Amino acid sequence: MSPGCGRLCRVSPSDDRPEVSALSYEQAKEELVEVVRRLETGSASLEESLALWERGEALAAHCQEWLDGARRRLDSAHSAVAPEETAAGTETPADREAALDDAAAGVPEEDER
């Protein structure tokens, strides 16, 4: 382990890193960035590199699950807030995508602006 790299540098199966499923999105993303950085340096042994790769794959999948869940929540919230728009047929797919992007960015709806 290189000096100063902390718990993220340990890759052996017996280390004390938390299970990927227990990490928040931010924690998983931060660790994934560190895994990529370590792999890019090429300084790890083959065994360490394989363990890093496997951890990175698990972290990436976990991050994607978080993002997919967030998208489902936005879709659900959007359909619950504006059922009359979708029922009336006045909303286009582009309008829906823009509203979801605004909701994800915390932008208030147009009538609230």
Side-chain angles (χ1 to χ4, degrees):
M1 184 170 20
S2 54
C5 67
R7 70 180 181 85
L8 294 179
C9 292
R10 291 190 294 269
V11 295
S12 69
S14 63
D15 66 25
D16 63 351
R17 289 180 301 174
E19 288 293 322
V20 171
S21 61
L23 298 175
S24 69
Y25 172 80
E26 292 78 10
Q27 291 168 322
K29 186 179 89 169
E30 182 181 311
E31 186 176 342
L32 181 56
V33 167
E34 180 63 22
V35 164
V36 170
R37 185 195 64 74
R38 292 229 22 242
L39 286 169
E40 287 178 341
T41 66
S43 61
S45 70
L46 178 58
E47 186 174 328
E48 290 172 323
S49 293
L50 288 172
L52 283 167
W53 181 269
E54 290 170 348
R55 179 79 174 181
E57 288 286 331
L59 290 164
H62 185 63
C63 286
Q64 189 61 54
E65 288 173 15
W66 272 100
L67 294 172
D68 292 345
R71 176 59 71 180
R72 283 190 299 275
R73 289 175 61 197
L74 285 172
D75 288 345
S76 176
H78 182 264
S79 64
V81 169
E84 66 282 352
E85 286 181 24
T86 56
T90 60
E91 183 180 44
T92 67
D95 294 335
R96 180 171 153 68
E97 190 64 31
L100 290 172
D101 290 342
D102 287 349
V107 176
E109 290 202 27
E110 203 154 312
D111 59 340
E112 296 177 15
R113 290 181 186 161

